[in-house]
């Protein structure tokens, strides 16, 4: 996750940061996708294919000629580019100089906090990092506007002087999973989610199970909790967080289910088990007065319909897809629809220097 940011932390090579600034129609990656390009290769991807090859060529030309000016390039994904997506992609290219390296280092430290990276696409190089309250964190505050839309995904905006800016939200993962159970399936799910944009709290009473399950070490997005009172971690989960229960004990599964059902702001809830187990739990929950609509929302069995193989890795792949569908739907609902990019020479309404408006 975010290899473009983390993989080159101690790399001294010159590089260019390529960002998908805007997608009109269909494209290989969404706005905000990034890669880093050096003369020797690249880290991460903006979707592959001829678009990526052309972007790498442009980035390497910038490196070879020491061209430090940011630029915005338009690519029609048609026959001329050897692609059939049919859309239009706008890519921003930034030469990673000392100032931008400092900004990216600050961004690495803030991976669990929302940040907004603002980059000039015209004129002298300028880039700054702001927090959710508009407070400057790093970069060049004297030039970068600190008033911009924080409700939209990555987009291009224009200030009162007609200068274009890339407004790039670098948001902490919204998706959170509290996973109860460190058995074979739990470990396989942790491995399946290791490189995905989510945070996992992994809970089990048996501390030794964590090391046995993942002897090579925990993924960066996982926090373990060895506890005799796992129910406490239901209350500690963020509002809207997802829950997955697969412990070694049906009695514990039952207790956790009841506590999760009592949280009216809980998100997706999956319980490992068969249809028979579901019916048993439904009867017990109804006897305890749990509303029918809450019981109906419980996902049991877990995984995508039609996948019957019960090997831990297969269950994990199926559940990971199921969770991604839930999380992406939630993320899409929270973002406004992207707008089309206007010409840089289009007339603009005069505004204060700090303000920007989307194009």
């Amino acid at each position: 996750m975010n290899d473009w940011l983390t993989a080159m932390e101690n790399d001294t090579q010159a590089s260019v940061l390529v960002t998908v600034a805007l997608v009109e129609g269909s494209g290989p990656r969404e706005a905000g996708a990034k890669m880093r390009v050096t003369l020797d290769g690249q880290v991460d991807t903006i979707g592959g294919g001829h678009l990526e090859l052309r972007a790498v060529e442009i980035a390497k030309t910038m490196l070879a000629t020491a061209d430090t000016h940011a630029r915005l390039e338009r690519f029609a994904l048609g026959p001329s580019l050897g692609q059939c997506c049919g859309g239009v992609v706008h890519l921003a290219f930034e030469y990673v100089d000392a100032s931008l390296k400092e900004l990216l280092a600050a961004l690495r430290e803030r991976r669990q906090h929302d940040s907004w990276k603002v980059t000039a696409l015209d004129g002298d190089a300028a880039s700054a990092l702001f927090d959710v309250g508009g407070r400057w964190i790093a970069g060049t505050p004297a030039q970068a506007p600190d008033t911009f839309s924080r409700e939209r995904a990555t987009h291009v905006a224009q200030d009162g002087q007609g200068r274009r800016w890339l407004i790039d939200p670098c948001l902490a993962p919204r998706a959170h999973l509290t996973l109860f159970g460190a058995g074979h399936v739990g470990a396989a799910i942790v491995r399946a989610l290791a490189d995905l944009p989510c945070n996992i709290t992994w809970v089990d009473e048996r501390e030794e199970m964590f090391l046995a399950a993942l002897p090579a070490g925990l993924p960066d997005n996982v926090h373990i909790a060895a506890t005799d009172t796992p129910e406490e971690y239901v209350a500690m989960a963020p509002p809207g967080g997802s829950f997955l229960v697969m412990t070694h004990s049906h009695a514990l599964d039952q207790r956790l289910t009841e506590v999760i059902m009592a949280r009216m702001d809980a998100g997706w809830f999956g319980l490992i088990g068969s249809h028979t187990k579901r019916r048993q739990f439904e009867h017990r929950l109804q006897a305890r007065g749990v509303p029918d609509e809450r019981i109906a929302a419980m996902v049991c069995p877990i995984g995508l319909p039609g996948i019957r193989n019960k090997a831990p890795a297969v269950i994990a792949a199926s559940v990971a897809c199921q969770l991604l569908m839930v999380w992406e739907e939630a993320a899409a609902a929270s973002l406004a629809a992207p707008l089309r990019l206007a010409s840089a020479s289009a007339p603009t309404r005069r505004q204060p220097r700090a303000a920007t408006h989307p194009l």
Side-chain angles (χ1 to χ4, degrees):
M1 185 171 61
N2 291 341
D3 287 345
W4 63 271
L5 181 62
T6 59
M8 299 185 66
E9 182 174 356
N10 299 313
D11 200 323
T12 59
Q13 293 186 85
S15 66
V16 169
L17 177 62
V18 184
T19 302
V20 179
L22 187 72
V23 179
E24 299 174 272
S26 178
R29 287 291 303 275
E30 69 286 352
K34 299 176 181 63
M35 67 179 182
R36 292 272 290 276
V37 179
T38 69
L39 287 174
D40 296 332
Q42 70 184 76
V43 175
D44 241 319
T45 177
I46 57 167
H50 290 279
L51 171 68
E52 184 161 297
L53 288 175
R54 181 67 185 121
V56 169
E57 289 175 359
I58 293 172
K60 288 189 174 183
T61 299
M62 291 175 64
L63 291 168
T65 60
D67 180 359
T68 61
H69 290 89
R71 53 173 36 167
L72 185 69
E73 299 283 351
R74 179 185 183 275
F75 300 88
L77 304 181
S80 63
L81 202 60
Q83 296 198 222
C84 57
C85 295
V88 175
V89 173
H90 301 257
L91 299 180
F93 296 80
E94 299 173 73
Y95 189 97
V96 183
D97 57 13
S99 176
L100 187 51
K101 280 186 178 180
E102 178 185 344
L103 185 152
L104 295 179
L107 185 57
R108 277 193 296 272
E109 294 297 318
R110 291 182 50 82
R111 277 176 290 170
Q112 296 304 317
H113 302 278
D114 291 348
S115 305
W116 278 261
K117 178 175 165 290
V118 182
T119 299
L121 298 173
D122 305 304
D124 295 334
S127 188
L129 192 69
F130 298 92
D131 69 8
V132 68
R135 184 175 67 92
W136 172 81
I137 302 295
T140 51
Q143 297 186 55
D146 57 6
T147 301
F148 46 84
S149 171
R150 288 172 173 76
E151 290 74 39
R152 296 186 57 204
T154 300
H155 62 284
V156 175
Q158 202 166 43
D159 65 19
Q161 285 69 48
R163 192 179 190 187
R164 294 174 302 171
W165 295 85
L166 175 66
I167 312 298
D168 188 19
C170 300
L171 306 180
R174 275 4 188 207
H176 183 276
L177 173 67
T178 305
L179 170 60
F180 296 95
H184 296 297
V185 177
I189 287 174
V190 167
R191 287 192 292 268
L193 298 177
D195 294 321
L196 301 182
C198 63
N199 288 313
I200 304 168
T201 300
W202 194 14
V203 186
D204 199 288
E205 298 168 301
R206 305 158 295 171
E207 187 169 5
E208 70 279 3
M209 292 293 291
F210 297 112
L211 284 178
L214 293 174
L218 289 173
D220 291 339
N221 64 340
V222 177
H223 168 74
I224 62 172
T227 176
D228 293 329
T229 55
E231 296 92 334
E232 293 179 353
Y233 283 84
V234 175
M236 294 167 61
S242 303
F243 296 92
L244 191 52
V245 174
M246 48 180 60
T247 77
H248 60 288
S249 164
H250 273 222
L252 179 56
D253 285 357
Q254 175 77 33
R255 297 205 314 267
L256 288 167
T257 296
E258 292 176 12
V259 176
I260 292 168
M261 290 287 182
R263 271 201 69 166
M264 301 309 294
D265 63 349
W268 183 90
F269 165 44
L271 171 69
I272 197 168
S274 63
H275 290 286
T276 300
K277 181 177 178 179
R278 180 186 181 96
R279 286 194 294 272
Q280 292 174 347
F281 273 52
E282 285 179 343
H283 293 318
R284 295 170 186 169
L285 292 169
Q286 287 169 348
R288 287 162 173 77
V290 177
D292 288 343
E293 61 271 18
R294 296 286 292 148
I295 298 173
M298 177 179 70
V299 178
C300 179
I302 57 173
L304 298 179
I307 299 179
R308 297 179 178 85
N309 190 313
K310 295 182 180 180
V314 176
I315 296 174
S318 181
V319 171
C321 291
Q322 194 172 31
L323 285 168
L324 280 175
M325 292 169 66
V326 171
W327 293 338
E328 290 204 357
E329 183 178 357
S334 68
L335 294 174
L339 303 179
R340 292 180 59 83
L341 179 70
S343 167
S345 59
T348 60
R349 180 171 55 85
R350 192 71 176 176
Q351 293 186 346
R353 183 204 62 81
T356 61
H357 60 278
L359 295 179

